[in-house]
Amino acid sequence: MTEVYASNPGFHRATGDFPDPGSVTPEQVASSVAAELAHPAAEVLPARDDADGSLVGLAVTLAEHPDPADPFPWTGLLMVHGSRHRSGLGREIAGLNEERLRARGQDGVRLAVLDSNPGAPAFWRSLGRDRAP
C-alpha cells in the first residue's frame, strides 16, 4: 500500500497529508489508513492486478454518513498507482465500488473531492459523475 501512496506525490502535495510527499513511509500510510478506519462505517478496499496480485489502487468508502439525514454512502478516496494513471483502472475501481454499493441496496453515492486536487473533479466528470457545489 505504501507503494501506491508513494507513487502519488502530487496528490499528497495537494492534500498536505504527508510532510514530504516525495518520501512516504509505511508508518505514515499505516497511520493514514488507521485514521480512515477509525470510523465504524469506513472501508478500505484494495484493488489488485489480476495478472500478479500486486496492489494497484484502493478506494476508501464510508458505508453510511455520520449525519443520519444523509442516506448515501461516500467515496472519500480513490487512488491508483501512479504508473497506472490514465489506464482505465480508476474507472474500473469506481465502477466495481458502485456495483458493490448497488448490491447492498444503495441507489447513490456521494464523492468527497478536495478543492486542492483539480484532477479529481475532471476524473469524476469523465465518468459522468459530478459533485454538488
Side-chain angles (χ1 to χ4, degrees):
M1 194 170 287
T2 300
E3 188 176 329
V4 172
Y5 273 74
S7 71
N8 287 282
F11 172 76
H12 301 305
R13 274 191 289 281
T15 65
D17 288 343
F18 296 101
D20 181 0
S23 182
V24 175
T25 68
E27 295 79 16
Q28 290 170 322
V29 173
S31 177
S32 179
V33 170
E36 295 284 3
L37 291 172
H39 189 285
E43 300 172 294
V44 176
L45 308 164
R48 297 198 174 276
D49 186 296
D50 288 337
D52 64 10
S54 63
L55 190 71
V56 293
L58 63 119
V60 177
T61 65
L62 200 57
E64 55 188 50
H65 193 272
D67 178 356
D70 185 346
F72 295 106
W74 282 74
T75 295
L77 175 67
L78 188 142
M79 184 179 291
V80 173
H81 191 286
S83 69
R84 305 286 293 266
H85 288 183
R86 300 196 166 280
S87 69
L89 184 58
R91 176 182 298 272
E92 184 177 357
I93 294 169
L96 290 169
N97 185 46
E98 290 170 359
E99 285 177 25
R100 187 180 64 80
L101 293 168
R102 269 194 289 283
R104 290 182 175 176
Q106 298 290 336
D107 61 358
V109 62
R110 298 215 191 275
L111 303 172
V113 176
L114 298 173
D115 291 334
S116 61
N117 184 9
F123 167 75
W124 290 109
R125 278 193 299 274
S126 80
L127 300 182
R129 315 308 188 273
D130 206 349
R131 66 183 180 128

